[in-house]
Every structure is written in structure tokens, then in C-alpha cells.
Amino acid sequence: MQHHDVIVLGLGSMGGAAANELAARGLDVLGLESFTPGHDQGSAHGGTRIVRQSYFESPEYVPLLRRAYEGWSRLEAESGRDLLTLCGGIYLGDPASPTYARSRAAAEEHGLDHEVLDAAEIRRRFPTMDPADDAMGLYESAAGYVRPEETVIANTEVAARNGATLRFGERVQRWSATPGGGVEVVTPEGTYGADRLVVTPGAWAPQMLPELELPLSVERMVFYWFTPDTDAVPVERWSQEQHPVYIEETHGNGQIYGFPMTDGPAGGFKLGYFHLGTPTDPDAVDRVVHSDETAEMRRRALELFPHLTGPVVQAKTCLYTVAPDEHFVIGTHPLHDQVAIACGFSGHGFKFVPVVGEILADLTTDGATDLPIGLFDPRRPVLRP
Ligand SMILES: Cc1cc2nc3c(=O)[nH]c(=O)nc-3n(C[C@H](O)[C@H](O)[C@H](O)COP(=O)(O)OP(=O)(O)OC[C@H]3O[C@@H](n4cnc5c(N)ncnc54)[C@H](O)[C@@H]3O)c2cc1C
């Protein structure tokens, strides 16, 4: 049986980063992944993911975001790939909406650069948008987007360059802790041994960590690419040079988020609902986007973008793995010290990819990390079955 220092189970967003970081630290890494690098069956596809720092989910994430930004630059440099674009971001809604109010609170608490815009100013600066008259926006220039598929490919390429053995198209059936304090991992192609294990299976976390009975909800989400009316508002106003990423909710109408046009008019203008997914089995997802769903998204999109009236270019499903409190699940496995887990990213994990890689490498090599991960404790009461 082959024996390694560490096995990484799942080479998607977080597992790719962990494999990269562990190989860079000189460990003998084996990575196992069901699909191909940058595949579209999990949570890491669709071309773009928002990155931002004025974090309405909780100001506790801000130090990790700062660290993640350093990681994004490092990953771009070491991979030679263009991953991060800072086109600015706006979080807008009625003054009491968490999207606006809590983003502003996080920016103020951490002294992040920001501007507060009222509805008239938002319309003037971003003529694609027609927010409600009482809307307020928190604008942050240090926001933008990263490229998910390119990121996974970058991390796995750099990991392989640093000596990691990465096996794609090989799905882990089960793993177990061995009496000697190591682990054993079984796939249809073999059994592998290691001193340590990193479990990063995304939407397959309930299957790969059944002993923890984590109350995670795997949800089918959809993103849509619509064509804007560029006679009404010129094309450059919809494009990344002039248009920010955004999140909006006004008087409880359902939070939406989206991006500027990043690939020219033919690529469309991408957006989606932030939550409101439907529970699903990751192995039996309805990948068809139905016309009633598209019509509902269009109706909601028009509330903010009255000129987003052209045809749908594309619509795709993607999976969230949602914890009851919507905070991540990262730490040492509660039953096995030699195993580190990272899952339950609740629809907002991608921007943290580089720092989660560091955290998992710290947990693997030292059993602990100096980075602040208390919020993500796998033992917290809300995760108990
Ligand atoms: C519609 C949508 C929009 C999003 N927007 C944003 C955003 O704007 N900003 C943001 O920060 N985040 C966003 N996210 C969330 C972010 O993409 C996820 O939090 C993140 O990708 C989760 O990473 P992961 O590593 O847990 O899962 P994944 O990237 O899916 O990786 C898990 C990997 O494990 C593999 N695997 C699973 N089981 C096995 C097995 N048994 N054997 C081998 N391999 C296995 C899978 O095939 C997969 O490759 C969005 C997600 C979706 C779906």
C-alpha cells in the first residue's frame, strides 16, 4: 500500500488550495478527486465569484479576508494566471437591510476604505441601476471577482509542480482512522495510507463525514446570464471597467448578487439569488434550468436593472452546502486528531480559498493555526445532531 504524509480528499476550491500549500511546505501529498480540475459538478464553476471585505456576514471574517487577498496575489504570481479583478463592489438596499447596514458596520469597525451613496448618487454613478428612492449603498473599491475554474486549475498545477501526486477521476468511497494514528482511504482503484487526512468534499461532505451527522443542507442554486439593452445604457456601463459587483436587497425582496460583463456582450451579465436554493442530492441534481425559474429571476432582476431586458445567454446550476448559522465548518475532526475538515461554506466561501489552504496546512502540520477560526468550530452547538 502506498503511504503518504497527507491525503487531500476532494481537489475543488478548498482542497486544491490545501494541496498547494501542503506541497509548498514540503509534504508528500496525495490528492484524490472524483472529476477533472475545474469541473462543473460542485461549487467552483460559472466563471466568476465575488470577493469583498466589508463583510455583512460578520466583521469577524475581515482579518481572514485581508489574509486571503495576499494569497490571491501570491497565487496569481506563482501560477502565472490572471485570477483577481478589482472592479469595485456595492452592497445596497433599504437603510435597515443587512446587506447595506451590516456591510457598513464591518467597514467602519475595521477601517476599510468605503463610500456611502444614496439612491440618486447610485443612479448617477451606475446608470444600469435604478434602486428604490430610500436605498443606500456601501461602495468598496477593494472588491471585485475571482475566476473559480482558473483558481482550481492554478492551485492543482502549482501543487503538482511542487511534487504532489494528484489523481483525478478517482472517487473516494470511504476513509478510516487506523489504530496506529494514521488514515486509510479507499477508492475503486486502490487503498492508500497516510499520516494525515484533509477532508474537503464540498457538497459531498455529508457523505464523506457521516460520523459527524453535520446538519448541512446541500442546495441547488442557479446563476443566469442575461443580455442587457445597450441602446438604453451603453455597453461600457455594463462592463467591468465601469460596473461593480453588487449585492442588493430592498424591503425583504430576496437578496440578489451579480457581476459586470466580464467577457464582452456575448458573455452576458451574470446574476443570481444569494439564497433561496432547493435541497438536493449532489449525485442527482436537476441540472436543467426551467423557464419558470428564469422568468422569476428576470422579474426580480428588473427591479434593480430596468434595462436588463434582452435574451438569456445561459443559465447553470451550482451547489451550496449550508450550515444552520451560515458560518463555515473548519477545524480538526472532533473524533480524529489526524484529520482536518473544511466544509459548509454556505454559499460564500470562494473568496477565502487561499487562506483556507493555509489554515488546513497549519492544522495538518501543527495541529493548530494562529489564524482566527473560532467562528468555524466543528464542535459548535449549532452543528450538534
Ligand atoms: C451559485 C454559486 C454562487 C457563488 N458565489 C460566490 C461568490 O460570489 N463569492 C464567494 O466567495 N463564494 C461564492 N460561492 C461559494 C463558493 O463557490 C463555495 O463556498 C466554494 O466553492 C466551496 O468550496 P469547496 O471546496 O467546499 O467545494 P468544491 O469546490 O465543490 O470542491 C469539493 C470537491 O470535492 C470533490 N469530491 C467530493 N467528494 C469526493 C469523493 N468522494 N472523492 C473525491 N473527490 C470528491 C468534488 O468533486 C469537488 O471537486 C458560490 C457558489 C455557488 C454555487
Side-chain angles (χ1 to χ4, degrees), residues 9-15 32-36 39 41-45 48-51 55 152 170-173 200-204 207-208 221-223 257 259 270 317-320 342-353:
L9 192 173
L11 296 171
S13 316
M14 308 304 168
L32 297 165
E33 164 59 47
S34 306
F35 302 107
T36 52
H39 69 85
Q41 301 295 296
S43 307
H45 58 280
T48 45
R49 289 287 183 278
I50 292 182
V51 294
Y55 221 56
V152 175
E170 185 165 343
R171 180 170 178 161
V172 173
Q173 293 165 306
T200 45
W204 289 266
Q207 292 179 21
M208 286 293 105
M221 306 299 300
V222 183
F223 22 56
Y257 70 93
F259 303 82
K270 178 186 169 191
T317 58
C318 177
L319 300 174
Y320 277 8
C343 58
F345 287 92
S346 303
H348 63 110
F350 206 87
K351 61 186 81 60
F352 297 87
V353 156

Side-chain angles (χ1 to χ4, degrees), residues 229-252:
D229 177 352
T230 51
D231 292 332
V233 179
V235 63
E236 61 273 14
R237 292 299 205 157
W238 301 91
S239 304
Q240 63 197 14
E241 291 76 18
Q242 295 188 29
H243 202 290
V245 298
Y246 56 88
I247 304 174
E248 187 249 358
E249 66 175 327
T250 304
H251 301 299

Side-chain angles (χ1 to χ4, degrees), residues 360-384:
L360 289 169
D362 290 348
L363 294 175
T364 300
T365 54
D366 306 335
T369 181
D370 292 336
L371 291 160
I373 60 167
L375 193 58
F376 313 137
D377 190 347
R379 296 166 187 79
R380 66 189 187 266
V382 81
L383 296 178
R384 296 214 184 105

Side-chain angles (χ1 to χ4, degrees), residues 81-105:
R81 289 177 182 268
D82 183 12
L83 304 174
L84 173 69
T85 302
L86 294 182
C87 57
I90 186 166
Y91 324 120
L92 68 157
D94 58 279
S97 63
T99 303
Y100 164 71
R102 299 185 59 183
S103 297
R104 182 171 178 177

Side-chain angles (χ1 to χ4, degrees), residues 129-347:
M129 299 185 193
D130 186 18
D133 287 337
D134 68 340
M136 295 293 293
L138 185 289
Y139 178 80
E140 162 172 71
S141 56
Y145 64 88
V146 287
R147 298 287 197 180
E149 294 90 339
E150 286 276 304
T151 298
V152 175
I153 292 169
N155 269 320
T156 51
E157 269 178 4
V158 177
R161 205 165 72 205
N162 287 326
T165 305
L166 306 181
R167 297 177 65 96
F168 293 95
E170 185 165 343
R171 180 170 178 161
V172 173
Q173 293 165 306
R174 59 180 187 278
W175 64 269
S176 54
T178 55
V183 294
E184 208 170 83
V185 176
V186 180
T187 78
E189 295 181 42
T191 300
Y192 307 94
D195 295 340
R196 308 218 163 239
L197 177 66
V198 173
V199 183
T200 45
W204 289 266
Q207 292 179 21
M208 286 293 105
L209 297 165
E211 65 288 354
L212 295 180
E213 297 181 61
L214 293 170
L216 300 176
S217 163
V218 176
E219 295 177 13
R220 171 187 177 279
M221 306 299 300
V222 183
F223 22 56
Y224 302 81
W225 288 258
F226 288 107
T227 313
D229 177 352
T230 51
D231 292 332
V233 179
V235 63
E236 61 273 14
R237 292 299 205 157
W238 301 91
S239 304
Q240 63 197 14
E241 291 76 18
Q242 295 188 29
H243 202 290
V245 298
Y246 56 88
I247 304 174
E248 187 249 358
E249 66 175 327
T250 304
H251 301 299
N253 61 351
Q255 210 175 18
I256 60 168
Y257 70 93
F259 303 82
M261 287 199 302
T262 55
D263 300 298
F269 185 81
K270 178 186 169 191
L271 79 172
Y273 274 107
F274 200 156
H275 286 287
L276 309 173
T278 22
T280 188
D281 169 346
D283 292 314
V285 180
D286 177 5
R287 299 280 178 187
V288 176
V289 177
H290 302 277
S291 56
D292 57 331
E293 296 179 282
T294 308
E296 162 53 21
M297 187 75 249
R298 171 87 73 181
R299 181 202 62 73
R300 175 66 182 87
L302 287 170
E303 291 182 3
L304 180 62
F305 299 104
H307 302 293
L308 198 56
T309 48
V312 182
V313 181
Q314 208 194 146
K316 270 189 94 94
T317 58
C318 177
L319 300 174
Y320 277 8
T321 309
V322 185
D325 55 6
E326 296 177 10
H327 295 308
F328 310 156
V329 180
I330 308 176
T332 299
H333 190 293
L335 306 175
H336 306 292
D337 288 346
Q338 69 273 46
V339 180
I341 67 173
C343 58
F345 287 92
S346 303

